[in-house]
Amino acid sequence: YEDRSGVLWVGTYGGGINKFDPHKQKFAHYKHEPSDPNSLSGYSVRAICEDRSGDLWIGTWLGGLNKLDRRKGKFTRMQHVADNPNGLSHNSVMAICEGRDGALWIGTLGGGLNKLIPGHEEAPPTFRHYRHDPSDPTSLASDIVRAVYEDRSGTMWVGTDGAGLEKFDRDAESFSHYRYMRNNPRSLSSNRVQTIYQDRTGTIWIGTFDRGLNRLDRESGTFTWYRNEPGNAKSLRNNHVQAILED
């Protein structure tokens, strides 16, 4: 993740987070220290986001959500507690996105989608949960969320691992579903969504865990697939698409 000052933050699997200042050409390390409650809450970092006030939010695998005070180098931890209905719904945070209204949206690996409601001096922050409800077809399709992305029109997109792509209607607080359909080559290519990105033309791209890249046609709700074709050196190199970035 590149913050507004040009500093790069690199999440690692097991080594915490690395801060790289391109002017100094060196890394600073932030790791989980079991004896230090102000350290990073987990060993593996899966999501990073800078909010409009300049605070850095870090999602960890099994360690919950962290807010970094960059001046002091200290972390505030927000973690799942079983008997707290207003707390973080799960400690594996896979995605963080700041909406245009300033709200933070957090995707978890088993606790669905969370909306962070900021606290104040007398009250801690709370979380609103959006979970899968089998009795409600407009609810989130799966509690396993790997990607959360707000496009330039303000539409919120949610990628699930196993239930496809979701479009969230904030006014109705309901979800529309885009899924893989076996006999439809214009459907989403896979229900295992890893990443979502909008390019400068407004096109939405979806990377999947096992079936390549998708380009969404917003008007028709259909998808064009880009996948590895054996023997075709100009096709997508591999069908596991983990990140998308426009230069």
Side-chain angles (χ1 to χ4, degrees):
Y1 187 91
E2 182 180 15
D3 69 22
R4 289 192 291 273
S5 68
V7 170
L8 290 176
W9 299 84
V10 184
T12 73
Y13 187 76
I17 191 166
N18 292 255
K19 174 185 175 182
F20 179 70
D21 186 332
H23 301 293
K24 298 179 180 178
Q25 290 290 307
K26 63 180 181 179
F27 288 89
H29 310 291
Y30 298 88
K31 297 181 179 180
H32 174 62
E33 302 291 347
S35 61
D36 183 1
N38 293 313
S39 69
L40 188 66
S41 65
Y43 294 99
S44 296
V45 171
R46 303 306 302 263
I48 305 167
C49 178
E50 182 185 26
D51 67 21
R52 62 187 59 189
S53 66
D55 291 325
L56 203 69
W57 298 84
I58 298 157
T60 67
W61 172 261
L62 299 178
L65 181 67
N66 296 253
K67 180 180 178 182
L68 173 62
D69 183 326
R70 286 194 248 189
R71 292 183 298 276
K72 298 180 180 178
K74 293 183 178 181
F75 295 86
T76 299
R77 300 175 179 180
M78 300 174 194
Q79 295 175 303
H80 172 67
V81 178
D83 59 356
N84 181 5
N86 297 314
L88 186 67
S89 65
H90 198 280
N91 276 332
S92 288
V93 174
M94 309 303 289
I96 307 170
C97 174
E98 184 184 33
R100 58 170 55 185
D101 60 355
L104 275 184
W105 298 83
I106 297 107
T108 71
L109 201 68
L113 181 68
N114 290 235
K115 180 182 180 181
L116 175 63
I117 301 170
H120 49 78
E121 289 184 3
E122 298 180 0
T126 58
F127 295 83
R128 177 162 188 178
H129 306 152
Y130 297 85
R131 305 287 295 266
H132 174 59
D133 180 353
S135 66
D136 182 1
T138 67
S139 72
L140 186 67
S142 170
D143 286 336
I144 303 176
V145 175
R146 287 193 176 271
V148 183
Y149 188 88
E150 185 184 61
D151 68 23
R152 290 192 291 276
S153 71
T155 300
M156 187 69 70
W157 300 89
V158 180
T160 73
D161 192 344
L165 178 70
E166 306 279 275
K167 183 170 74 171
F168 181 55
D169 184 326
R170 281 190 177 89
D171 295 328
E173 294 216 318
S174 63
F175 295 85
S176 301
H177 317 297
Y178 297 84
R179 296 192 176 113
Y180 168 67
M181 291 178 279
R182 185 182 298 274
N183 298 315
N184 183 359
R186 300 289 283 169
S187 71
L188 186 67
S189 70
S190 169
N191 285 328
R192 304 190 67 186
V193 174
Q194 290 275 94
T195 187
I196 306 163
Y197 190 81
Q198 183 178 38
D199 69 21
R200 68 186 70 181
T201 71
T203 300
I204 301 291
W205 299 85
I206 299 97
T208 71
F209 182 83
D210 53 352
R211 294 173 66 86
L213 181 68
N214 293 248
R215 186 183 74 215
L216 171 62
D217 184 315
R218 296 281 290 269
E219 291 189 7
S220 65
T222 60
F223 298 83
T224 300
W225 301 353
Y226 298 85
R227 295 163 65 184
N228 176 256
E229 300 170 13
N232 181 0
K234 294 184 179 181
S235 69
L236 189 66
R237 182 66 174 173
N238 189 283
N239 285 327
H240 182 87
V241 179
Q242 190 150 298
I244 304 168
L245 181 69
E246 183 176 33
D247 68 15

